[in-house]
Amino acid sequence: MTDINAFIDDKVKNNDVFLFMKGSPDFPQCGFSGQVVQILNYLGVDYSSANVLESDELREGIKAYTNWPTIPQLYVKGEFVGGADIVREMFQSGELQTHFQQAGLEVKQSA
């Protein structure tokens, strides 16, 4: 499990915004991942992602890494923000946009 933790740690710490999701941004393979992708795309935030469906080790590893049972998982500047429900609620309240701006990230649109 150490290799997968190193992989996750690298992605989280070396990308300003990183999304662990089911599928890809172009082809989300679950509704919750699709919602987070839509929000990030709407805000125009640059992000990278990893498809947890490509590896059981990654799918289980990310859950253990954050002690969070669900996917997708969004990270901003190395910090776990939350899953689909939290991201959606933060977006609707404007808190997500503020969070990105406070992290020094450009947001092209507001809610």
Side-chain angles (χ1 to χ4, degrees):
M1 195 68 136
T2 327
D3 289 346
I4 201 64
N5 276 347
F7 173 82
I8 293 168
D9 215 39
D10 176 65
K11 295 299 179 193
V12 165
K13 292 181 177 165
N14 293 310
N15 291 279
D16 286 341
V17 182
F18 200 86
L19 178 63
F20 290 93
M21 63 180 293
K22 293 179 180 175
S24 67
D26 292 332
F27 189 66
Q29 293 185 284
C30 94
F32 296 112
S33 291
Q35 278 183 349
V36 176
V37 164
Q38 280 185 319
I39 290 168
L40 294 175
N41 289 346
Y42 177 81
L43 294 175
V45 173
D46 287 330
Y47 65 98
S48 297
S49 67
N51 180 359
V52 300
L53 297 177
E54 291 178 352
S55 160
D56 285 342
E57 189 180 20
L58 177 58
R59 187 166 55 249
E60 295 309 314
I62 190 59
K63 293 175 186 179
Y65 184 82
T66 53
N67 197 24
W68 189 262
T70 60
I71 294 161
Q73 293 187 13
L74 180 66
Y75 293 80
V76 176
K77 297 275 185 162
E79 176 191 349
F80 176 56
V81 175
D85 291 344
I86 291 170
V87 170
R88 186 179 60 248
E89 288 169 15
M90 288 177 71
F91 169 70
Q92 289 170 339
S93 72
E95 189 181 344
L96 185 62
Q97 296 83 319
T98 301
H99 187 76
F100 283 132
Q101 290 165 339
Q102 287 175 342
L105 301 169
E106 187 178 335
V107 176
K108 295 184 177 103
Q109 306 222 17
S110 56

